[in-house]
Amino acid sequence: MDFLPALSAWQWALLLAVPPAIVALYFLKLRRQPLEVPSTYLWQKSVEDLRVNSLWQRIRQNLLLYLQLLLLLLVILALLRPGWRSGELTGGRYILLIDNSASMNATDVAPTRLDEAKKQSLAMVDEMHSGDQAMIICFSDVARVEQGWTNYRHDLRQAVENIHPTHRTTSIEEALRAAAGLANPTRTTDENQKEIRPAKLFIFSDGKFPPVEGFSLGNLEPVFVPIGKQTAENVGIVAFSVRRNEQRENQLEAFGSLQNFGQEEITAPVDLLLNGNGIDASTVHIKPGETAGVSFRLGDIDSGVLELRLTQADALPDDNRAWAAVNSSRRPKVLLVTPGNEALEMALATSRVGEMAEVSQAKPAVLTTPEHQRAAAAGAFDLIIYDRCQPTQMPRANTLFIGAIPLPSSETTLVPANGNTPPGNSTNASGGASAGGKTNPVAAASGTGWSLGAPVVYPQIIDADRSHPLMQWLDLGDVDIGEARPVTPPAGGTRLIDSNKGTLLAIAPREGFEDAVLGFEIYTTDKEGEQVPNTTWPIRRSFPAFVYAVLGYLGGASGLQTGETIKPGQPITLKSDTPIDELTVRTPQGLAETVPRSQGGGFHFNETGELGSYEVSAGKKLVQRFTVNLFDPLESNLATAKDESIHIGHVTVVGQAGYEPVRQEIWKWLAVAGLAVLLLEWYIYNRRVYV
């Protein structure tokens, strides 16, 4: 409550002198004049007046006095202009963006941040004036228009109430694009008529998203309504994985990482569960803002779902649990297609490789057979190594090409690197020179963004990407190469080995699979048609290590079949060992989703919004498991946006209340009350005179 006085000091002095004057009038004694009357009715009253000899008389109970004083009090209060500041919508067109990402499930604002955002949104809808329009958009890492432009409050309220929490990460860019597209003016049939009607953009969020770069708000006027407390504290699991012990092959180990996003040191008890049953427990001490690890020795587990659970309740339950799937152990199937490669064949024939994978070998002519084509299209192999040859079409498997590159999906021609055309096929029209001077269409062809450059002689390896699993622990400084062709990967590819004359090894994704290309041949053909070594790599220690890395990374022969972990909402490509048209995915809530084979031959599953473990089945056979975990420090750090502001393009939007502050005054009501008191006083006075 505040006051805005309407009078100056001397005016207030005159006004405040009126009440004492009124009271004084009631103390004055009446001076009566002698008057003869025909009755003795008034004698008693006259005698009472004669008893008072002083100027003042004793005041009596008088209702009129109280009414007059009350009237003056109301007038004084009205002139003081009492009031308060409240919220009120102004503008006429509103867009309400409501954040329903994982961090909005935090309970630092009861019951949750999302519920508070919906509550404020509903209050704003209720304050809309007649004729105002609004739309409702909810967003996490994707945006959804819950209600388009309307002035019906019932529809707007229903849209807000229908917004449900998610476990997804936060990105406001898609929501801003949707709002701008629906609010900013568009070109009409009449080039001279454009409706330019600015709209206010209310963003109900905790601000847990990165700054939006390069976005123009146009006719949108942003208002950021921060939800949550900057002092909110939370401890979350930011990583969880399972791998084999390096010293003991039959020993599994689970590793978790917990981060303290609060301001105080905490002791966090954690439990480890296998298929829902507790098997171990530990306690972690974490300092403010730091990360601490926890590890468990598990023994030998063939398959199952491991869960790491933080048993201490905090403001965000989404990051208190994490899952890792262990699938049934199996040896991946690897196919080597080569016209002859003694070094590679010997490396794949060792007993260690036999334990890691099931390796088979074939000549390039097998690639044209219907049996192989059906098997490759059905995903019968986990890895296919193409040595100086290409398939008729890309398989549903990871690949390693040696001296060749992947084909486009529409390519149907097989051409071995020796220039001979297999039976039933014609030579590819694209030509190029091989090391032996013969035509080598494979080396010249390009597809899916891959290409090989002109031949270079004696390239020197100068750098390797040691962070990639294929290149870890490899020392290539002693490797000599006779002739190579620099590799250019497609967009999104990674260069793994660079030389002074170009890239020699690269890898790139393809519809859920990965293709690696080695730009030099291990063996080449001389002028007499004999195979001769093209590099000293096979006699170096790094060569068998590279073969093991290829089997482990591209073939999946890591010795432990761990299920893939993705973030909520992220799509995943599933594989099947059998030629089946559909898979069944069972979600953590127990719902069964049917996934048909796509046109490209894979199984693409997008309904990954729930946290937990998913089971993939082909018929009644369990094929694999994968898990969905939050693992996002930005979501787990519950402290609201710094300085309660967000950045959109070049605009900094400072947080404020949802409504614009408007002063609400009550002097009009006080004036009406004063008028009522005046009428009551007039009525009582006249009635007394009449009586």
Side-chain angles (χ1 to χ4, degrees):
M1 178 75 71
D2 58 1
F3 300 90
L4 294 176
L7 301 179
S8 61
W10 68 271
Q11 291 173 328
W12 278 112
L14 291 177
L15 179 62
L16 294 177
V18 174
I22 293 177
V23 175
L25 291 175
Y26 280 85
F27 282 96
L28 290 178
K29 182 180 69 175
L30 296 177
R31 289 185 176 273
R32 300 185 181 274
Q33 302 243 349
L35 181 64
E36 293 183 3
V37 295
S39 175
T40 62
Y41 177 77
L42 299 177
W43 288 3
Q44 183 179 1
K45 186 70 173 176
S46 300
V47 172
E48 289 179 358
D49 291 337
L50 292 175
R51 293 174 185 170
V52 182
N53 296 321
S54 62
L55 177 64
W56 305 100
Q57 65 175 341
R58 185 176 181 180
I59 192 169
R60 303 182 181 89
Q61 295 290 338
N62 196 311
L63 180 59
L64 292 178
L65 172 62
Y66 299 143
L67 291 176
Q68 291 165 4
L69 293 177
L70 178 59
L71 173 61
L72 283 175
L73 177 61
L74 292 174
V75 171
I76 291 173
L77 288 176
L79 292 174
L80 285 173
R81 291 181 60 192
W84 64 89
R85 293 190 175 274
S86 65
E88 181 175 314
L89 284 176
T90 58
R93 280 162 56 92
Y94 317 103
I95 302 177
L96 278 60
L97 298 188
I98 301 176
D99 184 355
N100 66 339
S101 61
S103 60
M104 295 296 286
N105 297 328
T107 58
D108 58 321
V109 179
T112 67
R113 290 182 176 182
L114 178 59
D115 290 321
E116 177 64 20
K118 294 167 64 174
K119 176 183 176 182
Q120 294 194 28
S121 300
L122 292 172
M124 187 173 295
V125 170
D126 292 339
E127 290 294 329
M128 288 175 54
H129 301 292
S130 177
D132 289 350
Q133 287 187 320
M135 72 165 60
I136 309 295
I137 301 175
C138 68
F139 70 95
S140 52
D141 56 348
V142 294
R144 176 178 175 179
V145 179
E146 297 286 347
Q147 175 61 56
W149 287 115
T150 183
N151 56 1
Y152 290 102
R153 297 183 187 178
H154 177 270
D155 294 344
L156 293 170
R157 289 186 61 88
Q158 190 69 32
V160 172
E161 291 171 352
N162 287 339
I163 296 176
H164 299 291
T166 71
H167 306 290
R168 305 171 74 110
T169 56
T170 314
S171 175
I172 198 174
E173 294 188 34
E174 184 175 335
L176 290 175
R177 288 195 297 269
L182 294 170
N184 289 332
T186 56
R187 187 176 298 274
T188 62
T189 55
D190 187 352
E191 295 293 333
N192 297 323
Q193 294 182 359
K194 291 184 179 180
E195 181 187 16
I196 302 179
R197 297 184 61 191
K200 284 196 174 182
L201 180 69
F202 289 91
I203 304 172
F204 296 88
S205 172
D206 52 17
K208 306 307 297 180
F209 48 81
V212 182
E213 303 292 345
F215 183 83
S216 176
L217 289 166
N219 293 313
L220 297 176
E221 181 182 345
V223 178
F224 174 44
V225 184
I227 306 294
K229 300 178 181 178
Q230 286 193 332
T231 58
E233 298 190 356
N234 180 50
V235 177
I237 302 173
V238 295
F240 182 50
S241 61
V242 182
R243 65 170 180 256
R244 292 209 176 270
N245 190 303
E246 295 180 358
Q247 284 75 32
R248 301 178 180 179
E249 290 292 331
N250 62 343
Q251 180 77 50
L252 296 183
E253 291 182 311
F255 298 90
S257 180
L258 291 81
Q259 187 168 351
N260 182 5
F261 298 95
Q263 302 299 319
E264 298 181 359
E265 182 176 356
I266 62 107
T267 299
V270 291
D271 291 340
L272 183 67
L273 297 86
L274 175 63
N275 298 328
N277 300 315
I279 59 174
D280 207 342
S282 182
T283 302
V284 184
H285 302 278
I286 317 175
K287 294 183 178 180
E290 294 188 2
T291 301
V294 59
S295 62
F296 301 92
R297 293 186 177 181
L298 307 176
D300 192 9
I301 297 176
D302 180 64
S303 64
V305 178
L306 289 168
E307 178 186 347
L308 186 65
R309 181 180 298 177
L310 178 63
T311 58
Q312 178 175 300
D314 55 22
L316 184 63
D318 286 5
D319 59 6
N320 291 347
R321 303 172 68 186
W323 294 265
V326 180
N327 294 319
S328 298
S329 300
R330 72 173 184 86
R331 293 190 304 163
K333 295 182 179 180
V334 179
L335 175 64
L336 171 62
V337 184
T338 177
N341 190 323
E342 182 180 358
L344 191 56
E345 293 171 7
M346 290 181 59
L348 292 174
T350 63
S351 58
R352 181 178 177 184
V353 170
E355 296 175 356
M356 295 175 60
E358 181 181 340
V359 181
S360 58
Q361 182 179 333
K363 295 293 184 180
V366 75
L367 301 177
T368 62
T369 62
E371 294 80 4
H372 170 80
Q373 293 174 359
R374 285 194 297 267
F381 302 99
D382 297 282
L383 168 65
I384 301 180
I385 302 174
Y386 296 101
D387 178 27
R388 294 167 288 168
C389 62
Q390 289 174 307
T392 57
Q393 61 183 6
M394 294 302 294
R396 303 300 303 174
N398 295 330
T399 64
L400 171 62
F401 285 83
I402 301 176
I405 56 176
L407 291 172
S409 58
S410 60
E411 184 67 52
T412 58
T413 302
L414 167 70
V415 183
N418 59 11
N420 298 326
T421 304
N425 285 274
S426 60
T427 303
N428 194 314
S430 301
S434 68
K438 295 185 179 182
T439 301
N440 188 354
V442 169
S446 65
T448 62
W450 288 97
S451 65
L452 290 175
V456 295
V457 180
Y458 302 123
Q460 299 295 315
I461 296 176
I462 58 177
D463 191 21
D465 185 357
R466 299 295 180 85
S467 63
H468 196 277
L470 286 178
M471 304 306 300
Q472 291 177 350
W473 321 115
L474 295 187
D475 183 7
L476 303 177
D478 56 354
V479 175
D480 297 324
I481 302 171
E483 183 180 88
R485 304 189 68 174
V487 178
T488 301
T494 302
R495 302 173 188 269
L496 301 181
I497 299 179
D498 284 324
S499 72
N500 60 338
K501 296 183 179 180
T503 300
L504 300 183
L505 176 64
I507 190 169
R510 167 183 53 88
E511 297 182 358
F513 300 96
E514 289 188 277
D515 301 318
V517 174
L518 187 65
F520 60 92
E521 301 172 353
I522 298 174
Y523 286 89
T524 188
T525 305
D526 61 11
K527 296 180 180 180
E528 287 75 24
E530 299 292 333
Q531 289 200 41
V532 295
N534 184 49
T535 175
T536 61
W537 198 12
I539 62 175
R540 308 303 182 193
R541 293 183 177 180
S542 58
F543 184 73
F546 175 73
V547 173
Y548 296 148
V550 168
L551 295 177
Y553 180 74
L554 293 177
S558 60
L560 174 65
Q561 299 294 321
T562 56
E564 185 176 355
T565 291
I566 60 175
K567 290 189 175 183
Q570 179 180 339
I572 184 173
T573 299
L574 307 174
K575 295 188 296 183
S576 174
D577 295 336
T578 58
I580 194 170
D581 293 332
E582 64 181 25
L583 296 175
T584 301
V585 179
R586 188 168 296 277
T587 68
Q589 297 296 328
L591 300 178
E593 301 281 349
T594 300
V595 185
R597 187 184 293 274
S598 65
Q599 294 182 351
F603 300 90
H604 303 292
F605 183 66
N606 301 316
E607 303 301 322
T608 58
E610 299 177 29
L611 299 175
S613 175
Y614 293 69
E615 295 184 349
V616 183
S617 302
K620 296 183 178 181
K621 178 184 177 182
L622 178 64
V623 177
Q624 68 179 99
R625 295 183 180 94
F626 67 91
T627 57
V628 176
N629 293 292
L630 183 58
F631 292 166
D632 193 315
L634 189 62
E635 296 293 321
S636 296
N637 186 0
L638 297 182
T640 54
K642 185 179 181 181
D643 301 327
E644 291 194 341
S645 63
I646 59 176
H647 301 276
I648 302 177
H650 300 290
V651 178
T652 298
V653 186
V654 179
Q656 65 181 57
Y659 304 96
E660 294 184 0
V662 177
R663 178 178 170 80
Q664 300 288 345
E665 297 187 0
I666 60 175
W667 68 268
K668 296 180 180 180
W669 297 105
L670 292 174
V672 172
L675 179 60
V677 172
L678 179 61
L679 292 175
L680 179 61
E681 194 269 349
W682 175 83
Y683 171 77
I684 294 175
Y685 175 78
N686 283 275
R687 184 171 179 81
R688 289 182 61 182
V689 172
Y690 174 77
V691 172

